[in-house]
Amino acid sequence: MPDLAGRTALVTGTAHGIGSAIAAALEQNGALVHSVDKDTADVTDREQVAALVERIGTVDILVNNAGGVVGQVGRPLEEVSDDDWQAVVDANLTSTFVCTRAVAPGMKAAGYGRIVNISSGAGRSVSLTGIQAYASAKAGQIGFTRQTAHELGPFGITVNSIAPGFVLSNPTSIAQWDSYGEDGQRAILERIATRRLGEPEDIANGVLYFVSEEASWVTGQVISIDGGHSIF
């Protein structure tokens, strides 16, 4: 496990599930963690994020976990409004941009930084939700990861991404899982090599690797933590 004593971390989307597990794992390994959820700050709002980072000071570790489907369900493309599309893109991709931009100057000045973007298997393939904006925003996060890794690498900053598989991490994912029924659930499990769904801690363990010194020469990478689902 990494020794994060003296490091300051900012983790978004910590209200439950994956974000909560990531914040807890970083804290358990010595980091001073600032947890942000929708009741703390709107991470799509430039001014709110800038004010938050100014209060914190230099952020050593940023985990962009905020996102999700913002209460939407899959619908035919022609039924998706502009506002529906933008809401999902903002929650997932715009928030990643806004938070990364806010912490980059401090990381550059310190000559050190670790940024981890929590994307999704939907960003590497298709989304089980059927939500076009979600798949697009998560793919955008991966592209943003690669581009910023190239840009920020000379300053001692690494940028990587995790693409989680199916994790029952929040009410939305639980409702989605329940909607498949026994036959649908069985079919999904049969496409996962380990034959189980993920736990929030599985994703947190991946974050711990990316922020560790052992990963100091790893940047611009995307790891699928999905029990082997992506190999099919």
Side-chain angles (χ1 to χ4, degrees):
M1 293 292 103
D3 179 5
L4 302 177
R7 298 299 188 190
T8 298
L10 174 61
V11 184
T12 68
T14 58
H16 41 58
I18 291 174
S20 178
I22 291 170
L26 293 173
E27 190 170 51
Q28 288 165 9
N29 284 273
L32 173 62
V33 178
H34 295 268
S35 298
V36 181
D37 60 34
K38 62 183 179 181
D39 295 324
T40 307
D42 178 357
V43 291
T44 69
D45 186 294
R46 283 79 168 163
E47 293 183 357
Q48 288 189 38
V49 171
L52 174 65
V53 172
E54 184 175 1
R55 289 196 300 271
I56 294 172
T58 299
V59 174
D60 302 300
I61 298 167
L62 170 65
V63 182
N64 287 305
N65 174 68
V69 299
V70 296
Q72 297 184 35
V73 297
R75 288 168 293 165
L77 186 63
E78 61 270 23
E79 296 178 13
V80 179
S81 71
D82 291 347
D83 288 343
D84 292 336
W85 171 273
Q86 198 62 52
V88 175
V89 171
D90 283 347
N92 293 276
L93 182 56
T94 302
S95 65
T96 297
F97 163 69
V98 169
C99 292
T100 302
R101 183 177 62 179
V103 304
M107 288 183 174
K108 285 182 176 182
Y112 175 92
R114 297 284 186 270
I115 300 172
V116 184
N117 300 321
I118 307 302
S119 180
S120 168
R124 306 194 80 171
S125 180
V126 297
S127 176
L128 294 175
T129 67
I131 299 173
Q132 304 87 349
Y134 182 72
S136 301
K138 289 303 186 184
Q141 275 187 314
I142 292 173
F144 184 75
T145 295
R146 292 171 176 150
Q147 189 64 40
T148 51
H150 179 74
E151 177 181 342
L152 300 176
F155 300 94
I157 303 166
T158 66
V159 189
N160 291 288
S161 181
I162 293 174
F166 210 129
V167 180
L168 297 181
S169 59
N170 53 52
T172 299
S173 61
I174 292 171
Q176 182 184 346
W177 177 251
D178 290 343
S179 73
Y180 295 139
E182 289 186 10
D183 290 342
Q185 292 171 0
R186 187 180 305 110
I188 289 175
L189 287 172
E190 287 176 353
R191 291 182 60 83
I192 299 175
T194 58
R195 296 300 192 271
R196 73 168 176 89
L197 300 182
E199 300 288 343
E201 291 72 21
D202 293 318
I203 312 307
N205 288 336
V207 171
L208 289 179
Y209 170 68
F210 276 141
V211 303
S212 71
E213 286 305 307
E214 287 77 8
S216 63
W217 207 43
V218 179
T219 194
Q221 302 305 304
V222 185
I223 181 172
S224 294
I225 301 182
D226 60 6
H229 183 268
S230 57
I231 64 179
F232 284 90

